[in-house]
Amino acid sequence: MSTIDKAAGGVGNFADDTVGASKIVNGFARKIFPDHWSFMLGEITLYSFVILLFTGTFLTFFYEPSAAHTVYNGDYAPLAGQGVSEAYASSLRISFDVRGGLIMRQVHHWAALIFVAATVVHMIRVFFTGAFRKPREINWVIGLVLALLAVFEGFTGYSLPDDLLSGTGIRIAQAIILSVPVVGSYISFFLFGGEYPGEDFIPRFFTIHILLLPAVMLGLIVVHLALVVIHKHTQYPGPGRTEDNVVGFPLFPVYMAKAGGFFFIVFGVIALIAGLVQINPIWAYGPYDPSPVTAGSQPDWYMGWLDGAVRITPGWWEFTLFGFTFSMNIFIPTTALILFVMAAGALYPWIEQAATGDRREHHLLDRPRNAPTRTGLGVMALTFYVLLWISGGNDVIAHMVGLSINDITRFMRVAVFVLPALAFVVTKRICLGLQRKDREKALHGRETGRIVRLPHGEFIEVHAPLSEAERWVLVQHDANRPMDVEDRLDAGNPNSLYGKVQRRLSRFYFEDRVEPVTPAELAAAHHGHDTEIESQEHASIEEKQGDAAIATSQKYHG
Amino acid sequence: MSEIERADEAHGQGSTALAKSGSGVPERFENPGLPPHRHRMGDVDPQAAKRAERQVAFMLLLSVLGSIGIIVSIIGIEYNGGWDRISTSTRAIGLCMFVSLFMLGVGAVHWAKTLMPDDERIDYRHRQRGTTAEREQAVAILKEGSAEAGLGRRPLIRNTLIGALALFPLPAVFFFRDTGPLPGNSLSVTMWEEGTYLVKDPTGGRIRAADLTYGTVVHVMPEGIDELEEPLNEKAKSAVLLMRLDEDLLTPKSAEWGVDGTVAYSKICTHMGCPVALYEQQTHHLLCPCHQSTFDVTQDCKVIFGPANRPLPQLPIRVDAEGYLQASSGFHEAVGPSFWERG
Ligand code: HEM
Ligand code: FES
């Protein structure tokens, strides 16, 4: 036995004696994880969170969470002798006097931006592939809560350096709080320890930023990951992949090397960006003061959509009634919008379950085209989001394209409702089109781009046959159909309100659909054409069969 | 065999139930099973494997160099003494961190991809939901337990328990009572009152009405604001803009509250409280940089565009015996963003 083996044996023996390590190794070391680039999005989220914990802890060693007045006498000449807060002075000290301080601040800020971005893109992946379906509904909700907390965490962090931009952000946050009916002024006074801005918000935001939110998020992340292990990761459909297995690489050693390596890749790339690209140069903004101008100030990107919503809401939404002010021009595009988005997102898995009547577990992901209505709704939501975000830069855009801000704002007021609806319709059409193409391909093979001339003069394209494995990807999915009354065995009385809503929903989701090719259809398509050359005429046959498939109503329960 | 099997052994293990229709043609296609494993270069060619090994080692070596580079950059580059040094140090540390971390990561991934087994394995799933027997057993246990607790038989305990549990978190809210004072009327009042002098922000001198030319705009604070204990709180409410226009352009009320066409309006946006500070001389419009609310000074600062709803409140001003501007009263309404009790 080599010394290394002996040492490892000793450590292993101790670990087993004390914590039962052998059982842990037996249970986890060879767990299988499927491989796909889109599964790395969640990893980026996790790793940037870890990076935030590292760099944030470093920052706490030098940052002074205090609004107390001091005179800046550090290394940055233009501000020398100016009265500033301790928080601002210490943030400057981190940047100018602490070795490696600036890069730590910049890694922290870039990691924050990437963290929120990765969270959102990860959520988009989960949505479009249907990974939120049973049994993962709870993890979807946990993810949503994490996304919201990430935004709050980013906002409180942005406020800490107490520079002019962070102060502007807080001013707006305070106005959002004031607009809450009935209790707004009280919440504002309790949060800020009195009048805005006061001196309490810095130490309070600090505790929220470095203790409260990170602790809650860490707890939720642990549960999130534990559920991933318990459920086992979803996988994309493909030959050999079923609802009952998971195909991939074992945790130890392959996945550990890949995922562990990926952590360092993410960290390295963030360090590179942070080393080369400046972010939040607080010295250039100056200390916070509520009265100077802050033209062209933009919040961090994840706040942009709310800023946009606020910008395009007309002022007359505010009114007074019974001697009280209803600031709906602020409350609706901020607090109410966030609550609506969270509620709609959190309920979505159950909305879709109501439409499908499907209570089965799903471990095979959907190809987005195979769920046209869901994909359409997702693109609709994204369009809405992007339009709000664009509205948040209406001044910048006006400047760039040479239109008046007023025209752009008026256009956006209409566009945020019309374009998402349009995006829904178009996306759904595209999905159905792609599904038809899949049918075509499954029935007649792959287009080769090779044109041949038949003896009687007709030109046709040569189609190459698909392998069984290639075809499987195109035909493996279930076809959902609108529910009939008698299908709703699980939901009690079909004439109840819920029953009616459920049937409506189901029709909305599955009225328009293209079903996967069945073996019978494939046999019929090949009937009399056992050559590998398939000609255009088959389109018509396929069309008829397609109609037949769509017309038959089949009973379908979960 | 353990739960994990070699993919090849499970090869051909097809999809779930296949309903056969009468004709013998299945209704659904059958899962063709995992395709056979294709070997990589390194799996069959020892030379290729050796090459991959050297590549991994090279990447890890680069990472070592990067780590040393970080230390050298921190210790070796003088940090204090100007932006150039800081910027050089930051770039050097960033680049070395990149080499150190990225190469370590890429090395590990390359190792996994080229040299560790790349044949896919299979793990089996179990339904989250218990079997019928398991579920029945669980229900039976719960029933037995609650029978032992006797909650059903003792409604008095059940109801008081619900009450106690519902109420115990409530006091927590009251612990927050001293996080701040009650708002009172502080959202509605500022330090402006009759006789408060207008002073320039930030230089602080009083303003003589006669010195203002047409088209000027002056940023103004109430005199004495810097002596306050928390001047920022007052600045967030009391900031004022002073503009001089041709008196005929103003509304009668606006002109009356001003001095010879010089008028003072709150600088705090009635939307969300940003300082409204972009004044267009030709149109006499005030623009808020935050969400572009636009106020027309010739219409008593009415909102003519954007998400704000209320005009900027006007501060009535007059001149003292020596011609200096002072407030002839405080604001007649609350300044800044709306709030519930504002009315
Ligand atoms: C998990 C998500 C987190 C996000 C999104 C986030 C975001 C931010 C942002 C945007 C800033 C402003 C940075 C700047 O430009 O100076 C900031 C500052 C700060 N963060 Fe975080 N942060 C997170 C976690 C943490 C953690 C876990 C800690 C400590 C344990 C921490 C400690 C700090 C400190 C001390 C500052 C002030 C630094 C300065 O002003 O220079 N953060 N954070
Ligand atoms: S704060 Fe002035 S427009 Fe919003």
Side-chain angles (χ1 to χ4, degrees):
Chain A
M1 232 208 251
S2 76
T3 355
I4 290 189
D5 282 345
K6 248 189 227 151
V11 171
N13 194 29
F14 179 75
D16 197 27
D17 287 350
T18 50
V19 295
S22 63
K23 298 186 196 80
I24 300 175
V25 169
N26 297 346
F28 285 95
R30 295 298 237 178
K31 264 189 106 60
I32 297 298
F33 286 88
D35 222 11
H36 191 269
W37 65 264
S38 70
F39 300 158
M40 299 201 302
L41 295 166
E43 283 182 58
I44 298 178
T45 313
L46 176 66
Y47 301 152
S48 34
F49 182 74
V50 174
I51 294 166
L52 284 166
L53 292 181
F54 289 163
T55 51
T57 306
F58 177 88
L59 294 176
T60 60
F61 294 155
F62 303 97
Y63 173 78
E64 192 70 51
S66 157
H69 214 67
T70 180
V71 174
Y72 180 70
N73 52 13
D75 227 36
Y76 184 61
L79 287 173
Q82 193 164 330
V84 297
S85 67
E86 291 276 13
Y88 185 67
S90 66
S91 300
L92 288 179
R93 208 174 310 127
I94 295 175
S95 313
F96 290 104
D97 302 279
V98 175
R99 264 176 284 204
L102 181 59
I103 190 148
M104 281 291 177
R105 267 195 63 228
Q106 298 201 149
V107 171
H108 193 71
H109 205 128
W110 274 113
L113 299 181
I114 290 171
F115 173 68
V116 188
T119 308
V120 172
V121 182
H122 170 61
M123 262 173 61
I124 292 173
R125 192 286 284 175
V126 167
F127 182 83
F128 283 115
T129 58
F132 56 80
R133 289 172 299 170
K134 202 171 263 315
R136 296 181 179 76
E137 304 99 316
I138 295 298
N139 232 9
W140 164 256
V141 176
I142 291 177
L144 266 182
V145 174
L146 273 169
L148 182 70
L149 294 182
V151 170
F152 280 120
E153 177 71 354
F155 176 75
T156 51
Y158 190 75
S159 308
L160 292 180
D162 200 29
D163 61 290
L164 192 56
L165 282 196
S166 82
T168 305
I170 296 187
R171 169 91 252 195
I172 285 169
Q174 191 245 357
I176 291 173
I177 295 171
L178 282 183
S179 76
V180 175
V182 188
V183 291
S185 325
Y186 289 86
I187 298 178
S188 172
F189 269 65
F190 291 140
L191 182 66
F192 286 89
E195 283 196 80
Y196 167 85
E199 303 217 323
D200 288 339
F201 81 90
I202 289 182
R204 287 181 186 175
F205 276 35
F206 182 67
T207 307
I208 294 172
H209 182 74
I210 72 154
L211 179 70
L212 189 60
L213 288 176
V216 173
M217 288 169 81
L218 193 61
L220 287 175
I221 288 175
V222 168
V223 177
H224 197 72
L225 295 179
L227 282 174
V228 172
V229 171
I230 290 172
H231 292 143
K232 301 199 169 114
H233 207 292
T234 50
Q235 57 193 346
Y236 282 93
R241 279 122 175 104
T242 73
E243 292 286 6
D244 297 311
N245 71 12
V246 47
V247 181
F249 299 105
L251 177 64
F252 181 76
V254 179
Y255 207 74
M256 220 139 135
K258 278 191 182 173
F262 192 52
F263 167 76
F264 289 103
I265 291 177
V266 171
F267 201 168
V269 169
I270 291 179
L272 182 70
I273 300 174
L276 301 183
V277 190
Q278 185 175 77
I279 183 110
N280 206 16
I282 49 170
W283 53 92
Y285 306 143
Y288 179 56
D289 181 325
S291 56
V293 202
T294 44
S297 65
Q298 290 287 326
D300 269 348
W301 76 268
Y302 42 84
M303 290 292 174
W305 66 294
L306 291 174
D307 197 43
V310 163
R311 285 183 189 211
I312 61 171
T313 308
W316 53 263
W317 285 23
E318 175 176 284
F319 56 90
T320 45
L321 199 65
F322 310 122
F324 294 110
T325 301
F326 291 75
S327 292
M328 294 301 126
N329 59 335
I330 299 176
F331 183 72
I332 290 180
T334 55
T335 314
L337 179 63
I338 293 173
L339 291 176
F340 171 77
V341 168
M342 290 300 290
L347 287 178
Y348 187 81
W350 288 276
I351 295 174
E352 206 181 282
Q353 267 174 35
T356 54
D358 182 354
R359 302 278 187 281
R360 295 171 306 173
E361 291 185 12
H362 290 277
H363 304 288
L364 283 176
L365 294 170
D366 281 325
R367 300 167 76 218
R369 70 183 60 175
N370 289 338
T373 305
R374 175 205 298 150
T375 304
L377 289 173
V379 173
M380 179 175 95
L382 283 181
T383 311
F384 179 66
Y385 176 85
V386 168
L387 286 170
L388 287 183
W389 195 32
I390 292 175
S391 309
N394 58 359
D395 49 340
V396 182
I397 292 169
H399 193 74
M400 279 185 334
V401 299
L403 284 171
S404 87
I405 294 180
N406 304 14
D407 289 339
I408 291 181
T409 304
R410 275 191 213 99
F411 170 77
M412 282 299 177
R413 281 176 184 165
V414 180
V416 288
F417 295 104
V418 174
L419 294 186
L422 198 67
F424 170 77
V425 175
V426 171
T427 308
K428 196 167 164 178
R429 290 290 128 210
I430 291 176
C431 288
L432 292 169
L434 287 172
Q435 281 186 296
R436 276 192 205 99
K437 267 203 149 147
D438 280 354
R439 278 185 62 88
E440 186 93 343
K441 198 164 146 191
L443 286 171
H444 307 301
R446 190 172 353 93
E447 289 169 6
T448 57
R450 204 151 57 80
I451 309 285
V452 295
R453 187 160 178 243
L454 295 184
H456 54 277
E458 191 194 350
F459 285 96
I460 61 153
E461 188 180 355
V462 178
H463 285 234
L466 294 182
S467 72
E468 230 188 322
E470 282 171 317
R471 188 184 314 112
W472 173 245
V473 176
L474 305 178
V475 300
Q476 46 75 34
H477 55 289
D478 283 334
N480 280 308
R481 292 173 182 170
M483 268 180 275
D484 288 328
V485 179
E486 62 272 23
D487 290 336
R488 291 188 48 269
L489 295 180
D490 61 321
N493 181 2
N495 293 320
S496 67
L497 180 65
Y498 178 65
K500 284 187 189 130
V501 170
Q502 207 185 0
R503 276 205 305 285
R504 271 265 172 83
L505 254 184
S506 160
R507 223 175 308 130
F508 167 70
Y509 267 81
F510 305 118
E511 189 100 88
D512 299 326
R513 67 186 180 282
V514 176
E515 304 203 338
V517 171
T518 63
E521 286 172 315
L522 184 67
H526 278 269
H527 182 68
H529 296 268
D530 16 50
T531 65
E532 274 152 22
I533 297 175
E534 300 288 345
S535 78
Q536 297 292 334
E537 313 152 24
H538 290 256
S540 58
I541 297 176
E542 187 257 308
E543 212 65 67
K544 268 187 234 126
Q545 281 156 350
D547 290 345
I550 290 165
T552 36
S553 173
Q554 181 195 305
K555 295 201 178 84
Y556 180 76
H557 321 284
Chain B
M1 181 175 286
S2 77
E3 275 208 306
I4 308 142
E5 290 174 46
R6 292 257 152 189
D8 308 41
E9 280 150 349
H11 188 79
Q13 171 262 348
S15 75
T16 41
L18 289 167
K20 300 246 180 187
S21 66
S23 64
V25 184
E27 262 176 41
R28 303 284 305 270
F29 281 95
E30 197 170 332
N31 192 328
L34 275 186
H37 175 236
R38 273 212 212 97
H39 288 296
R40 295 163 300 185
M41 294 279 278
D43 296 336
V44 284
D45 176 3
Q47 205 113 59
K50 199 78 204 152
R51 209 177 317 123
E53 188 182 341
R54 277 197 297 269
Q55 284 163 347
V56 172
F58 178 68
M59 291 168 187
L60 296 180
L61 260 174
L62 278 182
S63 165
V64 170
L65 290 183
S67 301
I68 295 171
I70 301 174
I71 300 172
V72 171
S73 318
I74 294 176
I75 310 265
I77 301 177
E78 181 68 51
Y79 198 70
N80 291 348
W83 175 246
D84 284 348
R85 295 253 177 83
I86 294 170
S87 153
T88 311
S89 156
T90 302
R91 272 194 210 136
I93 298 176
L95 279 172
C96 293
M97 275 177 85
F98 172 69
V99 175
S100 153
L101 299 164
F102 189 79
M103 282 302 153
L104 179 51
V106 174
V109 171
H110 193 58
W111 176 21
K113 286 205 157 175
T114 51
L115 293 170
M116 293 182 192
D118 82 327
D119 52 331
E120 292 184 307
R121 320 269 175 107
I122 293 184
D123 209 349
Y124 291 103
R125 295 180 188 277
H126 310 282
R127 293 282 161 264
Q128 298 302 313
R129 186 189 163 102
T131 60
T132 315
E134 280 165 340
R135 288 159 69 89
E136 277 166 5
Q137 191 188 356
V139 170
I141 289 174
L142 291 179
K143 277 204 179 130
E144 198 182 324
S146 33
E148 285 167 8
L151 277 184
R153 273 178 293 125
R154 298 190 219 288
L156 196 57
I157 293 187
R158 187 193 57 209
N159 296 345
T160 45
L161 178 66
I162 292 173
L165 284 176
L167 212 64
F168 100 92
L170 193 64
V173 177
F174 288 83
F175 276 106
F176 287 89
R177 172 60 191 86
D178 273 339
T179 51
L182 296 181
N185 68 346
S186 51
L187 286 170
S188 308
V189 297
T190 68
M191 75 178 279
W192 290 107
E193 53 187 25
E194 186 179 353
T196 311
Y197 279 96
L198 281 67
V199 296
K200 285 185 187 156
D201 180 34
T203 50
R206 289 187 186 177
I207 302 157
R208 197 193 293 274
D211 291 348
L212 297 171
T213 51
Y214 289 105
T216 42
V217 53
V218 185
H219 298 257
V220 167
M221 286 289 171
E223 190 175 58
I225 195 163
D226 286 327
E227 279 83 70
L228 293 181
E229 213 176 302
E230 296 194 60
L232 289 189
N233 292 10
E234 198 52 46
K235 281 189 180 177
K237 295 192 292 189
S238 292
V240 159
L241 281 174
L242 195 64
M243 289 148 290
R244 181 150 190 209
L245 286 72
D246 187 343
E247 197 157 14
D248 298 338
L249 290 171
L250 299 169
T251 65
K253 172 251 175 188
S254 187
E256 195 194 320
W257 286 22
V259 175
D260 290 337
T262 299
V263 284
Y265 281 92
S266 166
K267 187 172 147 188
I268 309 301
C269 187
T270 55
H271 182 228
M272 300 176 100
C274 287
V276 178
L278 308 177
Y279 180 58
E280 289 177 25
Q281 283 189 16
Q282 285 85 18
T283 53
H284 311 293
H285 289 169
L286 282 169
L287 181 77
C288 178
C290 281
H291 314 104
Q292 290 86 38
S293 286
T294 312
F295 304 86
D296 186 350
V297 184
T298 66
Q299 296 185 62
D300 200 13
C301 278
K302 192 178 108 174
V303 182
I304 54 167
F305 189 77
N309 184 44
R310 285 176 295 105
L312 294 169
Q314 187 178 7
L315 180 72
I317 51 172
R318 64 183 186 205
V319 286
D320 72 356
E322 291 144 66
Y324 287 105
L325 288 168
Q326 56 174 217
S328 52
S329 79
F331 282 106
H332 289 205
E333 57 181 310
V335 300
S338 303
F339 52 98
W340 177 250
E341 300 87 346
R342 188 179 187 285

